[in-house]
Amino acid sequence: MSTRTLSFGGRSSGWIWYGYVTLVALFLMIPLVSLVIASFYDGRFFSIVDYQFTLGWYNAALSSGSIRRAFTNTLFISVPVTVLSTIIGTAAALAYTRYEFPYRESFKLIALLPIFFPLILLGLGMSMWASQIGLGYGLVPSIIGELVWISPIVMFVVSITALGIDPNTEEAARDLGADTLTLYRRVLFPLVADGVVSGAIFAFVLSWNNYYIVSYLSGPQSTITTWIHGRMTQGFTPVVPAVASLIFYVSILLVVGAIVIEYRKDDTGE
Amino acid sequence: MLQSTNLRAEYGALVAVNDVDIRIETGEFATIVGPSGCGKTTLLRMLAGHQAPTDGRIELDGVDITDAEPQNRPTSLVFQSWALFPHMTVRENIEFPMRNSGLEVGDRVEELLRQVRLDPEIHADKQATELSGGQKQRVALARSLAYEPDILLLDEPLASLDYVLRKRLQRELADLNEELGMTFIYVTHSLESALLMSDKLFVLENGNIIQTGSPEDIYRAPNTKFIAEFMGDANTFELDGATERDGSYEVHAAPFDQTTTVPYEDGRDTPAYLVVRYDDTAVGTELTADLGLTVAVENVLVRGNTVLVECKQPGDDDEYVAEMPVDAFRATGIEKGDTAYLQWNASKSILVPE
């Protein structure tokens, strides 16, 4: 990926530019950073003046049964959602980008629609349906609900990679004697693999952080996000920043992983 | 022998290929030539099996292959974009068709690379994306040859290469066709490729084959004004009189004073145009050739060792061009703005029907 970037002119305008970027970055990061700082703060009410470090809240969080259960529940949702939405989204992306069929553009619009729908309404709608069709509430309905929202996002991410492949690639493979299995196994899948990995990471992070859909569909099962929300309505406790930071660490780890994959690809000259 | 009968392709109301009959002998280098949008690529895609014909038949050595899938027919297409697999090395690209059809790999990759003039030591283990345009073209060719097709189809694979490289690869393709005895079908809008490489030409216009023959035959006796102009830069005069006389025609056109007699093949429609190629035309201060007209020299363009002399008749918008050797033009002493005779010998005139 060799993209040419504009460089920002003279020395003084350069400083203004970097200063601006730093301020924006700070503005975006402060809530997250303060959360992390608070999670290590030894005391009930956070104060920056008289800071004392402790790992106690993490200890409390990890030893609490209800928090551990919330983590396990979240994993029970996120892992299947990641696998299934990656399969569904990749298939849809390949269909949209690599095949001609009637109403192809309408297919894309309808498939991507859930992304742009307010999550709080999507969750509400799903919740109404879940009781109507007797699906009920719990982990499985949460998985199904998240799939509706996350699969289109995977489709979107994989489509970006798939659109970059020479449109003659499949025909060339067929022409050289490849059957459908060979075409997918040796040509198409390797070419979209990077997009699929990115899509899967997206899927996991979005599912891991999801609140609205699970809040409507998880019923008696609490996930980390619903646990945090529930805990906060009962009043603040410093365990909350620790739990929230734990979610954040997992997400940031995956994002860093995605960046590493991207950089490694650049190094191999692709 | 590859034969198509009434081959037809329609996109809704548009007829891209209109009941085309072609016949290509084994080992021939056939070129389908025509301007953009004439249906040549559609025709090629139907031969390769990437597009189902609306109607008609394709037969290879008597076997009907009209409905055979691309992976099941002994043709291989070299794409305009080459379509190399970017995640594979050169070697893996070339091995791909061999593995698909269960051919022995052995030293074939090295052999094929040498055949397309690439050094296996240097290039075999490069990533496909690391190659230059000309190298990609060669690897795409080697990959198609590795499939051992009976017919190699080429969709303007040289179009995006620079002039010198294109010239060289044209020669190499012609040599390869001879060396392998494999049938080559080449599609192009470029006249120079068509003339240089082919045994047989099919000229396509609006989905119809309007002339078939050797490049020389078509160059000498184009069927229509369109082909005459397409086959080479030429001046065209609309005839205002044509009388048959013993297999020839006595013709006259408004811009020149004389009448002239030009041989004309029997069985064609009455000639409607007289065509003379730029390089058969000259300018001079005196009328020394058989036919000529008075013109004003509008512009003189030097093109390497020849000049293009652009002329017009006063009060007329039609532009005529003479292409002459630089020295011959200098010797006339004619300059831009002068009045001169645009002239040519009668034997260089070509008559074409409407």
Side-chain angles (χ1 to χ4, degrees):
Chain A
M1 247 178 263
S2 63
T3 43
R4 216 160 64 88
T5 43
L6 288 170
S7 66
F8 282 84
R11 196 171 297 173
S12 57
S13 66
W15 280 113
I16 295 171
W17 169 249
Y18 284 115
Y20 170 72
V21 172
T22 312
L23 281 177
V24 171
L26 272 177
F27 180 74
L28 293 174
M29 295 306 287
I30 279 174
L32 288 173
V33 172
S34 56
L35 200 66
V36 173
I37 293 173
S39 71
F40 291 110
Y41 179 66
D42 189 5
R44 197 161 160 75
F45 293 103
F46 178 62
S47 149
I48 203 88
V49 227
D50 149 46
Y51 192 86
Q52 287 178 345
F53 181 82
T54 180
L55 286 172
W57 302 120
Y58 286 93
N59 195 16
L62 293 174
S63 57
S64 147
S66 65
I67 296 174
R68 277 223 300 269
R69 204 159 38 251
F71 267 103
T72 335
N73 282 341
T74 308
L75 270 181
F76 266 116
I77 297 171
S78 297
V79 172
V81 163
T82 305
V83 174
L84 293 173
S85 67
T86 302
I87 294 170
I88 297 170
T90 302
L94 289 178
Y96 168 64
T97 56
R98 311 305 297 175
Y99 290 86
E100 283 292 336
F101 52 90
Y103 304 110
R104 181 168 161 270
E105 285 305 310
S106 319
F107 165 72
K108 176 191 74 178
L109 275 179
I110 292 170
L112 295 183
L113 203 59
I115 301 179
F116 304 103
F117 214 70
L119 269 183
I120 194 159
L121 299 184
L122 204 61
L124 180 63
M126 286 172 178
S127 153
M128 288 158 69
W129 263 105
S131 68
Q132 281 295 312
I133 60 176
L135 187 61
Y137 302 91
L139 296 184
V140 174
S142 301
I143 292 170
I144 296 172
E146 288 192 3
L147 281 177
V148 173
W149 179 59
I150 293 175
S151 304
I153 295 173
V154 176
M155 172 187 169
F156 190 75
V157 174
V158 177
S159 290
I160 295 169
T161 309
L163 282 172
I165 305 171
D166 183 329
N168 291 323
T169 303
E170 289 93 334
E171 287 186 352
R174 290 264 185 220
D175 205 72
L176 298 164
D179 52 29
T180 307
L181 187 69
T182 312
L183 167 67
Y184 274 87
R185 199 170 49 86
R186 298 218 33 225
V187 181
L188 226 40
F189 282 145
L191 285 175
V192 294
D194 289 333
V196 174
V197 171
S198 308
I201 291 174
F202 258 93
F204 184 84
V205 171
L206 290 173
S207 169
W208 182 250
N209 295 337
N210 181 272
Y211 169 70
Y212 286 114
I213 293 174
V214 288
S215 74
Y216 280 110
L217 293 177
S218 62
Q221 307 283 356
S222 69
T223 67
I224 318 171
T225 50
T226 60
W227 181 88
I228 292 174
H229 186 259
R231 201 70 198 76
M232 287 303 290
T233 52
Q234 295 162 27
F236 179 82
T237 143
V239 178
V240 169
V243 173
S245 298
L246 282 172
I247 310 186
F248 172 62
Y249 300 149
V250 171
S251 302
I252 204 80
L253 215 69
L254 284 166
V255 171
V256 169
I259 293 171
V260 168
I261 291 173
E262 186 69 17
Y263 267 84
R264 227 188 30 204
K265 199 178 68 187
D266 275 356
D267 286 347
T268 56
E270 271 184 48
Chain B
M1 184 187 68
L2 181 79
Q3 190 166 16
S4 81
T5 322
N6 295 328
L7 199 60
R8 190 174 179 83
E10 293 172 9
Y11 300 105
L14 177 85
V15 180
V17 174
N18 188 10
D19 297 340
V20 161
D21 295 334
I22 57 172
R23 213 185 126 104
I24 296 164
E25 303 298 329
T26 304
E28 248 178 350
F29 198 128
T31 299
I32 300 166
V33 62
S36 300
C38 69
K40 55 191 190 299
T41 296
T42 304
L43 178 57
L44 195 71
R45 290 171 53 79
M46 289 194 289
L47 295 179
H50 294 309
Q51 188 169 336
T54 314
D55 205 0
R57 272 166 76 85
I58 305 168
E59 276 173 46
L60 181 65
D61 298 325
V63 181
D64 187 341
I65 57 163
T66 317
D67 299 318
E69 296 283 334
Q71 63 268 36
N72 299 325
R73 63 172 83 189
T75 56
S76 186
L77 176 57
V78 181
F79 290 84
Q80 190 165 4
S81 66
W82 312 313
L84 293 181
F85 304 127
H87 59 301
M88 297 185 190
T89 62
V90 168
R91 179 188 303 282
E92 287 164 345
N93 264 283
I94 296 172
E95 284 178 357
F96 183 82
M98 298 159 115
R99 296 196 188 284
N100 288 336
S101 46
L103 295 167
E104 181 87 33
V105 176
D107 298 331
R108 274 294 276 160
V109 174
E110 283 75 12
E111 200 179 305
L112 284 160
L113 283 174
R114 271 185 223 106
Q115 213 153 36
V116 296
R117 322 285 199 275
L118 281 178
D119 186 345
E121 300 264 321
I122 302 171
H123 295 103
D125 296 307
K126 272 189 184 166
Q127 206 66 27
T129 46
E130 293 176 71
L131 302 173
S132 71
Q135 292 167 344
K136 281 183 182 166
Q137 205 283 323
R138 288 165 196 265
V139 173
L141 187 61
R143 187 180 63 172
S144 279
L145 293 175
Y147 190 51
E148 300 189 358
D150 293 341
I151 298 174
L152 187 71
L153 305 166
L154 303 117
D155 184 9
E156 302 211 40
L158 309 181
S160 58
L161 302 176
D162 68 69
Y163 180 78
V164 176
L165 191 57
R166 193 163 66 232
K167 280 276 178 218
R168 192 161 76 217
L169 283 164
Q170 280 167 1
R171 277 235 54 86
E172 290 181 12
L173 275 180
D175 292 348
L176 209 56
N177 167 250
E178 209 151 290
E179 200 177 305
L180 299 170
M182 190 185 282
T183 310
F184 281 29
I185 303 178
Y186 193 93
V187 151
T188 181
H189 66 271
S190 152
L191 170 87
E192 47 154 341
S193 321
L195 292 179
L196 198 73
M197 303 185 289
S198 333
D199 300 317
K200 190 189 262 177
L201 278 186
F202 298 91
V203 186
L204 208 59
E205 186 193 16
N206 296 329
N208 294 293
I209 297 229
I210 50 175
Q211 193 166 8
T212 306
S214 73
E216 204 184 325
D217 289 346
I218 295 180
Y219 190 85
R220 287 296 147 216
N223 258 347
T224 67
K225 173 174 168 254
F226 169 79
I227 301 177
E229 289 178 333
F230 186 72
M231 292 293 286
D233 299 333
N235 298 304
T236 310
F237 299 93
E238 193 171 351
L239 299 176
D240 52 19
T243 323
E244 196 187 355
R245 188 162 295 170
D246 315 327
S248 291
Y249 269 85
E250 195 176 272
V251 295
H252 179 262
F256 46 87
D257 301 330
Q258 314 86 337
T259 46
T260 180
T261 304
V262 183
Y264 190 65
E265 202 179 301
D266 258 357
R268 298 200 288 172
D269 291 343
T270 315
Y273 297 96
L274 184 151
V275 175
V276 58
R277 297 187 194 287
Y278 291 171
D279 52 4
D280 288 332
T281 314
V283 288
T285 47
E286 304 284 325
L287 179 60
T288 51
D290 303 341
L291 272 172
L293 53 152
T294 320
V295 290
V297 175
E298 298 259 314
N299 212 353
V300 177
L301 304 167
V302 179
R303 181 157 94 177
N305 54 357
T306 63
V307 286
L308 293 177
V309 189
E310 297 177 351
C311 316
K312 273 185 184 169
Q313 282 203 302
D316 194 351
D317 274 348
D318 290 342
E319 190 182 71
Y320 306 109
V321 180
E323 184 173 5
M324 305 170 68
V326 174
D327 295 343
F329 177 71
R330 293 269 145 80
T332 65
I334 294 173
E335 284 179 30
K336 187 172 163 178
D338 288 356
T339 301
Y341 284 101
L342 181 81
Q343 51 191 302
W344 65 95
N345 281 320
S347 61
K348 300 296 186 188
S349 304
I350 301 165
L351 296 183
V352 292
E354 182 64 59

